[in-house]
Amino acid sequence: MREITYRQALNEALAEELARDPNVFLMGEEVAEYNGAYKVSQGLLERFGPRRIIDTPISENGFAGMGVGAAMVGLRPIIEFMTFSFSLVAFDQVVNNAPNMLTMSGGQFNVPITFRGPNGPAHQLGATHSHATECLYANIPGLKICTPATPRDAKGLLKTAIRDNNPVLVLESELLYSSKGLVEPEDFELLIPLGQAELKREGSDVTIICYAQTVPLALAVAERLENEGEISAEVLDLRSIKPLDLEAILKSVSKTHRVVVVEQDRPFCGVGAEICYRIQKEIFDLLDAPIMRVAQEEVPMPYNERLEEAVLPSAEKLIAAVQEVCYT
Amino acid sequence: MQPPEQRDEVEMLSMMLLIRRFEERASQQYQAQKIGGFCHLYIGQEAVVCGAVAAARPDDYLITAYRDHAHALARGTSPNACMAELFGKATGCSSGLGGSMHYFDKEHHMYGGHAIVGAHVPLAAGMAFASKYRDEDRVTLCFFGDGAINQGAVHEAMNLAGLYKLPIVFICENNLFAMGTSVERSTSLKEIVERAEGYDIPGTVIDGMNFREVRDKLGEIIDSIRKDSHPAFAEIRTYRYRGHSMSDPASYRTKEQLEKFRGDDPITRLRAQLTREGKLTNEQFDRMDKEAKETALASVKFAEESPEPPLEKLYDYTFVNGANS
Ligand SMILES: Cc1ncc(C[n+]2csc(CCOP(=O)(O)OP(=O)(O)O)c2C)c(N)n1
Ligand SMILES: [Mg+2]
């Protein structure tokens, strides 16, 4: 294992899949000559050339749709959104074209496309630039969604997404791009299946279910709670939101009997709402307390730093929720 | 012929100076981490919005993208409210909730500050529709960048404006780059102004480094729209001296290109024109510049001393009357 950044891990995944399959190409704003707005595609133009690493104008609806069309006739596009807030300009292509094609054509046309880029609030970008889109897309049958939180997951999930024969959204995290973690050596073929959660920390009193930016938050809180000698928290990273690893969720909750879901999206119809429903439906009798959710406040994102902080999930809010389900 | 409401040129020069000094301060405060998020500077482009504002009536609708500090200042938003917005303070022009990219000032008919590229252009068409609907002779000034010209929303709005003969000027501030992508690398038709023809909208190319040309040409266009409602398109050629945003080193362009435009600086140019004509002395210019610097500095002090928006404000604006269920 070696330590690399989340950004490098994504870069390696892209490079490996581009090298492996000549049908794979990367398209998006500033991906080629600028090496990516967040430098995820650093060096790819130099290595793979302008035929496969393609800069676009600011035309999300157009190039996302091109991706779907190219996929229908056999290419395997990777479409980068500079951020998923801008994917809303291409909502029709992502929601109406990519996932519906297989059904509408009676099974004739599958769409092997990857939509990727940073998702969720970063820091003080305001209402238009801070969208956590996972709950919007998770509502759509025919889309798969993964949300890597570590460099290893970023690499393994992106590679799997590119090879999947269906539309997959890889929701990355701007705030995690520079974070570091251990990843297998470069020559190791790292593929992490979609729909497989990972226990990031074992515990016995409560399960904290998290994904993406809330994983480091949950780990920090779990450590703090343990140091204070109070509560032993288990941290389950979903890694994929769809398919959802219900088995892993139920296994952990059957052990701890208490759950907090911490998500980076909005509470109403958010990812946590679905998880709560599934848990109570399957193992209601094993729960020792009502499930708590920590999500954003239900307001458009304010620019002011203090107000933004108040909107986002925080260590304080998560600790309070954990204490509440543990009745401490 | 110049429009009757034409603002005094010396006054507009002093506004251009204020915008520049304000943004230099903003840049410094951003580096000192007093300002968060994204921050896009307008330095080099001052003559565009100043020429437009000088040609328009104060109650004409004005709307722009995220490079918006100058548009608010030129319209009369106080530098204090502008700086306070960057600091996220309650006294900011958007109460600290919008930030650099989302300036709004209803009183001065500044309708934003919009950060999704191209997304405000249909809004502008809607404003123009409203003035026509109400039989008002207001004109809508809609600013956007060369990069926005490839967004579908812009083209839908242009067709709608052409179809309904809306009183709007589409003002494309062509500064040659959208982030790191030059117009040659983003746009199949190299002359942006020719796009307007496709919607039966008259187009004009204007030198954006020349305040007088911007004012006079836009003045003619606005007058003609006021007389008989129709859309128009102006491609105003300009240049941003700084990177796309504070975090962009702008290594995609040449020093020579930057120096060429700097050599044609809009402030220097208007100053020279006025001095040559005996309308401005060096002492007067220096005094104006000193005042601009002082105003900018004072706005920083004002912003620093202003209160943060209270936490309760969070729930006040999701719906009017604070309803939030
Ligand atoms: C829909 C959308 N896509 C991408 C972005 C990211 N972005 C912000 S500004 C910009 C470049 C815009 O360039 P231009 O329209 O020429 O305006 P300028 O910055 O030159 O003023 C890009 C790509 C965005 N804000 N919205
Ligand atoms: Mg531009």
Side-chain angles (χ1 to χ4, degrees), chain B:
Chain B
M1 209 191 62
Q2 285 165 355
E5 302 88 357
Q6 187 189 309
R7 304 255 293 269
D8 181 66
E9 287 184 326
V10 176
E11 194 188 314
M12 291 317 291
L13 177 63
S14 126
M15 177 54 77
M16 283 160 68
L17 274 169
L18 173 65
I19 292 168
R20 182 155 308 176
R21 301 310 179 204
F22 175 90
E23 291 212 306
E24 285 166 357
R25 275 288 161 204
S27 159
Q28 184 203 41
Q29 293 300 307
Y30 190 92
Q31 267 144 6
Q33 299 186 334
K34 294 284 176 59
I35 298 170
F38 291 142
C39 183
H40 309 83
L41 301 182
Y42 195 68
I43 294 177
Q45 301 185 207
E46 294 91 344
V48 180
V49 77
C50 287
V53 163
R57 241 170 36 197
D59 68 336
D60 284 333
Y61 294 128
L62 185 152
I63 186 168
T64 188
Y66 45 85
R67 199 179 295 285
D68 58 356
H69 309 158
H71 298 73
L73 288 167
R75 256 307 165 88
T77 308
S78 86
N80 283 356
C82 289
M83 191 61 80
E85 189 57 37
L86 299 180
F87 278 58
K89 295 299 182 76
T91 50
C93 57
S94 303
S95 301
L97 303 185
S100 165
M101 301 194 290
H102 308 113
Y103 273 22
F104 287 84
D105 185 352
K106 197 174 184 179
E107 185 194 336
H108 292 98
H109 300 289
M110 156 64 176
Y111 294 87
H114 297 270
I116 297 298
V117 170
H120 65 290
V121 180
L123 307 187
M127 290 167 188
F129 175 82
S131 23
K132 190 169 180 189
Y133 185 88
R134 290 193 294 239
D135 236 344
E136 295 168 350
D137 65 350
R138 277 173 160 176
V139 174
T140 295
L141 306 179
C142 176
F143 296 82
F144 52 90
D146 48 283
I149 198 70
N150 297 311
Q151 272 292 19
V154 174
H155 290 271
E156 294 183 24
M158 281 178 27
N159 181 54
L160 288 162
L163 184 66
Y164 302 141
K165 302 262 175 290
L166 302 180
I168 181 170
V169 195
F170 295 100
I171 301 176
C172 179
E173 298 196 53
N174 180 2
N175 59 12
L176 308 183
F177 286 92
M179 239 175 221
T181 306
S182 64
V183 173
E184 294 87 78
R185 294 206 304 116
S186 70
T187 305
S188 56
L189 189 65
K190 303 303 170 217
E191 299 294 325
I192 290 177
V193 69
E194 289 174 13
R195 297 281 189 100
E197 270 173 44
Y199 303 102
D200 197 23
I201 295 176
T204 313
V205 175
I206 298 176
D207 175 5
M209 306 310 267
N210 185 347
F211 167 83
R212 285 180 171 172
E213 183 176 331
V214 176
R215 180 200 56 199
D216 294 347
K217 287 197 172 166
L218 281 182
E220 272 172 42
I221 292 170
I222 292 169
D223 281 355
S224 119
I225 294 176
R226 241 192 263 294
K227 282 195 202 95
D228 179 24
S229 175
H230 67 85
F233 189 98
E235 179 193 338
I236 306 195
R237 298 201 174 145
T238 181
Y239 203 71
R240 58 165 159 77
Y241 296 173
R242 304 292 185 95
H244 167 72
S245 68
M246 292 298 298
S247 58
D248 169 31
S251 44
Y252 41 80
R253 58 186 197 185
T254 63
K255 243 208 176 91
E256 292 70 41
Q257 190 180 52
L258 175 60
E259 287 317 314
K260 177 179 152 269
F261 280 96
R262 266 188 202 280
D264 200 15
D265 184 76
I267 293 178
T268 313
R269 185 151 170 184
L270 182 57
R271 176 191 180 176
Q273 286 165 333
L274 289 167
T275 310
R276 211 180 311 121
E277 294 159 8
K279 294 175 182 160
L280 179 77
T281 63
N282 284 340
E283 295 71 46
Q284 236 178 320
F285 180 85
D286 290 344
R287 194 165 355 104
M288 276 170 16
D289 194 26
K290 190 160 165 273
E291 273 169 20
K293 284 178 180 158
E294 284 166 3
T295 306
L297 190 60
S299 75
V300 171
K301 187 159 184 286
F302 173 84
E304 270 171 346
E305 289 170 359
S306 287
E308 298 266 336
L311 281 180
E312 310 85 70
K313 271 276 174 273
L314 212 46
Y315 308 96
D316 283 359
Y317 302 127
T318 306
F319 295 103
V320 285
N321 299 330
N324 184 12
S325 51

Side-chain angles (χ1 to χ4, degrees), chain A residues 82-158:
Chain A
M82 195 176 277
T83 88
F84 265 88
S85 286
F86 310 150
S87 78
L88 301 181
V89 177
F91 204 57
D92 189 50
Q93 296 299 340
V94 182
V95 167
N96 227 348
N97 276 343
N100 283 347
M101 209 58 71
L102 189 62
T103 297
M104 293 191 302
S105 67
Q108 295 178 78
F109 290 103
N110 65 313
V111 179
I113 192 169
T114 304
F115 296 107
R116 53 155 291 272
N119 171 62
H123 190 222
Q124 281 199 274
L125 301 186
T128 55
H129 278 49
S130 302
H131 288 286
T133 60
E134 57 270 31
C135 46
L136 305 180
Y137 292 121
N139 191 244
I140 306 301
L143 293 179
K144 298 184 183 183
I145 299 167
C146 60
T147 52
T150 65
R152 183 172 185 276
D153 292 340
K155 181 170 181 185
L157 287 168
L158 177 54

